[in-house]
Amino acid sequence: MIRFTRLAAVAGCLAFLAMTRAAVETPRTLLVEVRDIPASDQVKGARFDYSDYDRVGLLSLVRNTGMLLATPAELEKLQQDGFHAKLVMESPDKLTLYKRALYGPTLKLPSVYHSYDQINAGADELIREHPERIARVQLGETTQYHRPIYAYRISSDARQPQDKPGMLLDGCHHSDEVMGAEIIFTLMQKLVLDYGRDPEVTSWVDRNEIYLVPVINVDGHDIITSGRDPRWRKNARDVNGDGVAGVFPEGVDVNRGYDFNWGQGGSGDPASDRYRGKHPFSEAENRAMRHLLELKSFVLSISYHSQGEVIYFPWDWNGRPAPDDALIREIAGEIAHRITTMDGQGTYAIAPGGASSQSYAWLYGRKGVFDFLIETGKGTHLFAPEEVPGIIAANLEGVKAFMARTKGPGLAVHVTDSATGKPLAAQVWLPHLETEMIDRHYADATFGHLWRLLSPGRYDLIISCDGYESTVLDVVVGPGEWTPLGVQLRPSASAGK
Ligand SMILES: [Zn+2]
């Protein structure tokens, strides 16, 4: 979940606190379920305004049923006001109440969800049976417990890097937003097992090199899946250095650690849910993602989060849109319109996100990747078992729209040395489109390729590389699939001196 202002959270909190003054005096030891909450009571500022950052009162609100912490007086008031409120559990131990509210009656994560070990074991099985289709790549180790963070590479020959457009799907920057890991694990099996059977899947895999990172925040994910604490969002860093890690609310928000307007994102307060850490890439989880981007250039990516049924895209930078805003918006809309909301009444919304410290801002601003942050599901992070298949299936429809865009339109630029034919990591700049808001794009060093999504039309390009004469081109991008553009750069006269 991302959040641009604290106002909504504060409003929700105040709305609940306003129910009774007893809230500030009596500890909330009751877990209360309220059924059939009218839509008018769920809007912003209303009594049941669900907000992720309000971890005090309302803990979840799924399909008009809310779970909330209350005092006896608050419960009585709810009932007096005509709400269908009933006591679920009473305990002086808050964590027990959170477990009951978020995990369900077993107080453990339901077995429909997978631990990281289970995901990797499932992937191992796929690799054993289809070594040509899927390979594991270790990206790094986690900050606190030094667990391996893996990506899985899927292509027509996964045993070696391919000269093909890179597509990335990642999950669980926020460890309690476990739906991302489930969607990606399901997608992994589909891509490998349906290859050669389903023409659509076969074409996705043949055309692209797809990287899946099911869980970035592996330590946090383990805290969630092992049943220790259902609230855990950040990584497990022992922030205060007292030698005891995994004590709520310790940790660093892994989705506030990237170096694009880093200081303007999240919070500098270690107790905050959005604590950004001490400096950009202070966390090993962020360095693991940076390492992945050094291994492969990506064209498009999705980062799965929960919740809200909305797709955030780059960006709204203090009112200024991204240079590629029109095209990014178009693609976000295509993906969103394929994903049905849980109530079956509509599809996901789209909205630009702020341009700071999160993965989409960094991926787009620094790396040229069109990244979409998808907030899956509505009303909680840990959905009841019966909700999980529907949310996964809905989001796999979104993947179809995402994959449709991996064909273009756009430019497939290939830059080589005119004398030797060797590939060049040349800068490919579209000066009328790519403003100083974003870093320049480069062809990859291994193959000399850059795939650049563009709306059909006419573009100026400046292609340059140290030791070579720059070239200026006027290119027409067609409406169909990738428009190929081979560019040979001549070594500059002074190069050999
Ligand atoms: Zn999130």
Side-chain angles (χ1 to χ4, degrees), residues 25-26 54 145 149 157 177 183 187 205 245 251-252 259 276 283 285 307 309 320 338 370 388 403 458 485 496:
E25 293 146 16
T26 317
D54 175 11
Y145 296 115
I149 303 170
D157 185 0
E177 301 171 14
I183 293 165
L187 177 64
V205 173
V252 175
D259 72 341
R276 66 174 87 98
E283 304 312 292
E285 293 80 6
Q307 55 78 46
E309 300 187 324
R320 285 180 300 168
R338 292 289 285 271
F370 289 12
V388 173
M403 288 292 181
R458 192 163 191 158
L485 178 68

Side-chain angles (χ1 to χ4, degrees), residues 375 393 445:
E375 298 279 12

Side-chain angles (χ1 to χ4, degrees), residues 162-386:
Q162 301 288 300
D163 183 15
K164 290 183 178 172
M167 305 297 154
L168 168 65
L169 298 101
D170 65 63
C172 290
H173 273 88
H174 295 143
S175 48
D176 55 344
E177 301 171 14
V178 294
M179 201 55 71
E182 301 302 325
I183 293 165
I184 290 176
F185 187 40
T186 306
L187 177 64
M188 182 192 296
Q189 295 167 75
K190 181 183 168 77
L191 292 176
V192 174
L193 299 176
D194 290 353
Y195 182 86
R197 294 178 199 169
D198 177 334
E200 196 177 28
V201 169
T202 308
S203 120
W204 300 344
V205 173
D206 279 342
R207 285 169 174 274
N208 303 299
E209 189 170 55
I210 303 166
Y211 278 79
L212 305 179
V213 184
V215 180
I216 293 165
N217 180 1
V218 171
D219 285 347
H221 189 255
D222 184 64
I223 292 173
I224 295 290
T225 58
S226 64
R228 275 171 60 195
D229 194 330
R231 296 167 294 179
W232 209 274
R233 162 189 168 90
K234 297 187 283 183
N235 71 4
R237 179 187 278 280
D238 173 18
V239 172
N240 63 12
D242 65 355
V244 188
V247 181
F248 192 81
E250 265 200 306
V252 175
D253 184 341
V254 172
N255 200 33
R256 295 296 185 284
Y258 294 99
D259 72 341
F260 195 86
N261 291 333
W262 173 83
Q264 290 161 41
S267 165
D269 172 9
S272 164
D273 253 353
R274 293 162 299 136
Y275 176 48
R276 66 174 87 98
K278 285 196 170 159
H279 55 84
F281 292 107
S282 62
E283 304 312 292
E285 293 80 6
N286 295 120
R287 295 197 296 273
M289 288 300 282
R290 184 174 65 185
H291 179 60
L292 175 58
L293 270 286
E294 287 160 2
L295 294 177
K296 179 72 186 174
S297 301
F298 293 98
V299 179
L300 280 168
S301 62
I302 287 177
S303 193
Y304 286 108
H305 288 249
S306 287
Q307 55 78 46
E309 300 187 324
V310 56
I311 300 180
Y312 293 107
F313 58 86
W315 50 47
D316 175 351
W317 187 342
N318 299 330
R320 285 180 300 168
D324 290 283
D325 183 68
L327 181 56
I328 291 174
R329 232 172 236 281
E330 191 178 309
I331 299 172
E334 289 166 5
I335 299 171
H337 292 147
R338 292 289 285 271
I339 312 177
T340 307
T341 50
M342 285 171 71
D343 65 8
Q345 302 299 302
T347 55
Y348 282 22
I350 63 168
S356 59
S357 72
Q358 300 195 37
S359 61
Y360 61 81
W362 174 71
L363 281 166
Y364 175 67
R366 294 260 181 266
K367 304 291 178 183
V369 189
F370 289 12
D371 183 62
F372 301 93
L373 189 161
I374 305 187
E375 298 279 12
T376 58
K378 193 157 190 218
T380 187
H381 300 148
L382 302 171
F383 295 91
E386 63 271 20

